[in-house]
Amino acid sequence: MVGTPFRPVATQSRVLAELARLWDQAAHRASVTKVRVTQTELAKQSRVPIQTVNSWAKGASTPRDLDQLTAVGRVLAGWAGESAPMAATWDELKRADQASPPAGHRAGTGASRPLVEMTDTGPERASVAPTDRPARRSSAAPSGKASQQVAAQVPPIEFIGRREILATLLATLRNPRIPLITLKGMGGIGKTALAQEAARTLADENLFSSIFWRSTQTERFIGEGVVRTEVSDYSFEALLDDLLRHSQLAWSADASTVTKQQIVRNWLADNDNQVLIVLDNLETVPDRDAMVASLIDILGRGKILITSRYSILRERAFSLDLGGLSRQDGIAFLASTAERQNNANLMSADPDTLARIRDVAGGAPLAMQLISGQMDHRPVEQVLRVVEEAGFTDLSYAFYSFLFRRIWDELDGPARKVLVAMRHFEGNPTASAIQHTANVIDDEFYPATARLGQRSMLAMTRGREARYSLHPLTRYFINTDIVARWE
C-alpha cells in the first residue's frame, strides 16, 4: 500500500529532496515488499509526530531536529532496501541547505556552511571551501575570491570517540609555532577520519582562510594488468599546480617550476591569507621528505597536516601516533555501524560481544566494519568465532587479506563486477559510469551496491548525483589480491 506522495514541491531543500528520493524508491519496491508506505506508518515507525512528517512531505517546513531526521531516513532507507544514511550525512545536507537556502526560505542565524562541495574537476583531489571571511586580495593573485573547491575524493566519515586526541590535534593546529603536524598510523586505523573532523572544526571556526586537501593514494595500471606499488606519481610540481588552481592562480600553470614556486610563496605569505594544506596518505609519495621540505620553505603563515604510515622528521614538527579505538569508543563505533548498516544481527549484540569484535579488530575502524558487514547475513557469534580462531594478533596484511577474501567469496557475480569495475576510476564515479564499465543492468547494479555498502566495501555519497568511492585499503586489495589472485 502506498499513501499520499512525499512531494516537497515548494522547496529546493537538499534534505527534503533526499527524503523524497527514498520515498519514491520505497514506493517502487512496495509492490514486492508489501510494505505500507504511508506517512502514518512512517510517523509510527520513526516515532516522529505525524504533523511533522506531513509538513516535510508538503515542503511546508524543513527538518530541524537531526535525531528526527535520522529516524525518518532510517525507516525510509529500510523500506527502499538501502543502507540508512548516517547522521553525519544528513548534517552535511542540512549545512548545505543553510548555506544556500531555497527560494522563499531564510537560513537561521549562525547557520554553518558545507565543508566540502562535490565537483568533477579532477581525480583524487579535495578541498575544503574557504571560510566565510570576506574575499581578500592577494598580492600574488588577480582580484577575486579564492577557489571554492578543487574536488572531493573522500566522502564524509562519521567521527566517533578519540575526543582527547582530537583536542590535542586541534590545539596543535591552532599553535602558530608549529607549522607541520603528522598523523601516523596503519592503514584503516582512522587517520583520514580524524583529519577530516579537525578540518571540519577549524572550518567552522574560520581559523584558516581556506583549507586545501589532497589525497595522494594512487595505483599504476599497465594494459589489463595491475602493478602492485605504493609509489605515486605525485610530485612537488604537481602540488604547486594544485595550489595554483585552489588559489585561482591557474593562469600561471605554464610558467616554470621556479616561477610557480615564487607565486605560491607570495600567495602563502600574504598577511591576510592563512592556508591549511592537508596531504592525505603521503606514504605513497617516494620523495615525500623532499616534498615536505620544499613546501615548508614557501609555507609563509600556512600549516601542513599530513596523514601517513611513516613519520616526517622536521624541526618544529609535531607527530601523533594513532592506535585503535579504545574499548568504549570501539563499542560506540560498532553500535553506530550497526545502525547505519541497518544490521539487525549486530544491533541485537550485547556490549561484551561488541567488545570482542573491537578486540579482534585491534580497534581499527575499517577492520571492525569489514567484520560487522559479514554479520548482516550470518550469526554474529559464528562470524566472530571464525575471525578469532584465525589467530591474527595484529593489523597485518594477512589479517586484512583474510577479511577481504571472506567477503569476496560471499559476493554474487554482479557485486563482484561492480567492485572490480571501481578499480578503473581514480575519483568518485557516478552510477551510470560504473554500470557501463561493469556491464550490469539496473536490476543488478542497485542490489549489488547495496550489498557492497552493507559490507563496507563501497561508500556512496549523496549530492546532485550519487557517487561512489572506495577506502584506499579496499582499492589496494582489489588491485592486488582480488584481480591478481581471486578473480
Side-chain angles (χ1 to χ4, degrees), residues 85-206:
M86 296 183 295
T89 301
W90 290 118
D91 192 45
E92 287 296 321
L93 292 176
K94 285 183 63 179
R95 286 169 178 264
D97 281 350
Q98 290 168 339
S100 299
H105 291 257
R106 293 184 60 193
T109 57
S112 56
R113 53 179 313 289
L115 175 69
V116 175
E117 190 156 336
M118 310 301 277
T119 68
D120 302 317
T121 56
E124 295 204 340
R125 296 183 185 131
S127 171
V128 178
T131 59
D132 290 330
R133 294 180 178 182
R136 292 171 176 141
R137 187 181 182 89
S138 168
S139 59
S143 61
K145 232 181 163 182
S147 174
Q148 288 291 310
Q149 63 277 322
V150 178
Q153 165 66 12
V154 184
I157 299 173
E158 186 174 21
F159 185 79
I160 294 176
R162 289 181 168 153
R163 293 297 164 183
E164 291 183 4
I165 295 177
L166 176 62
T168 300
L169 176 58
L170 290 171
T172 308
L173 286 165
R174 295 178 184 121
N175 189 334
R177 295 187 297 276
I178 303 176
L180 171 64
I181 302 97
T182 302
L183 293 178
K184 177 176 170 285
M186 294 189 63
I189 207 69
K191 301 184 297 294
T192 297
L194 180 58
Q196 284 187 337
E197 185 66 15
R200 181 176 291 110
T201 301
L202 295 173
D204 288 342
E205 291 180 4
N206 293 340

Side-chain angles (χ1 to χ4, degrees), residues 157-460:
I157 299 173
E158 186 174 21
F159 185 79
I160 294 176
R162 289 181 168 153
R163 293 297 164 183
E164 291 183 4
I165 295 177
L166 176 62
T168 300
L169 176 58
L170 290 171
T172 308
L173 286 165
R174 295 178 184 121
N175 189 334
R177 295 187 297 276
I178 303 176
L180 171 64
I181 302 97
T182 302
L183 293 178
K184 177 176 170 285
M186 294 189 63
I189 207 69
K191 301 184 297 294
T192 297
L194 180 58
Q196 284 187 337
E197 185 66 15
R200 181 176 291 110
T201 301
L202 295 173
D204 288 342
E205 291 180 4
N206 293 340
L207 181 63
F208 295 94
S209 55
S210 66
I211 303 176
F212 167 87
W213 186 293
R214 194 5 165 136
S215 174
T216 59
Q217 181 76 30
T218 62
E219 296 288 346
R220 295 177 189 267
F221 297 89
I222 299 178
E224 292 300 315
V226 179
V227 177
R228 177 175 174 172
T229 178
E230 289 184 353
V231 175
S232 167
D233 291 327
Y234 201 58
S235 64
F236 179 60
E237 182 161 5
L239 174 59
L240 288 175
D241 289 338
D242 281 345
L243 288 169
L244 289 171
R245 278 189 289 269
H246 175 77
S247 61
Q248 286 193 339
L249 298 170
W251 49 268
S252 57
D254 294 331
S256 68
T257 301
V258 173
T259 300
K260 288 190 284 191
Q261 186 169 334
Q262 187 59 50
I263 293 171
V264 173
R265 182 198 300 272
N266 292 343
W267 174 63
L268 291 171
D270 190 326
N271 287 333
D272 286 333
N273 195 34
Q274 186 175 20
V275 180
L276 174 61
I277 299 171
V278 186
L279 300 176
D280 194 24
N281 299 306
L282 195 65
E283 69 271 1
T284 63
V285 176
D287 56 348
R288 52 188 171 272
D289 291 317
M291 174 188 286
V292 171
S294 298
L295 182 56
I296 287 178
D297 186 52
I298 64 172
L299 191 58
R301 299 177 63 248
K303 277 184 177 288
I304 306 169
L305 174 60
I306 290 170
T307 74
S308 176
R309 291 202 298 272
Y310 312 118
S311 296
I312 302 291
L313 301 177
R314 298 287 305 176
E315 185 181 356
R316 294 192 299 145
F318 183 87
S319 180
L320 268 174
D321 286 354
L322 208 58
L325 292 174
S326 68
R327 179 165 289 196
Q328 181 179 354
D329 288 344
I331 291 173
F333 180 86
L334 284 165
S336 174
T337 298
E339 186 175 310
R340 175 174 55 82
Q341 293 177 338
N342 199 22
N343 188 329
N345 288 340
L346 192 60
M347 283 191 281
S348 63
D350 58 62
D352 288 341
T353 301
L354 296 181
R356 286 171 59 198
I357 299 172
R358 178 266 167 204
D359 291 346
V360 77
L366 177 62
M368 288 191 286
Q369 287 178 323
L370 294 175
I371 293 170
S372 66
Q374 299 175 51
M375 295 171 174
D376 173 64
H377 52 290
R378 291 182 183 276
V380 170
E381 185 61 35
Q382 180 187 89
V383 174
L384 185 52
R385 187 170 59 250
V386 169
V387 178
E388 287 175 333
E389 290 177 353
F392 293 100
T393 58
D394 59 9
L395 297 173
S396 61
Y397 169 86
F399 178 55
Y400 277 114
S401 183
F402 168 78
L403 295 179
F404 279 114
R405 180 59 189 261
R406 282 184 56 82
I407 296 171
W408 174 260
D409 286 345
E410 294 175 350
L411 295 176
D412 61 11
R416 288 184 173 187
K417 285 183 178 181
V418 169
L419 194 60
V420 172
M422 284 294 294
R423 72 187 179 97
H424 296 289
F425 301 96
E426 289 184 325
N428 297 335
T430 62
S432 59
I434 302 171
Q435 276 188 263
H436 177 76
T437 303
N439 193 25
V440 293
I441 60 176
D442 282 356
D443 289 346
E444 294 175 333
F445 176 77
Y446 290 103
T449 56
R451 282 190 291 274
L452 291 170
Q454 197 78 26
R455 289 154 179 77
S456 297
M457 296 288 277
L458 187 69
M460 182 177 74

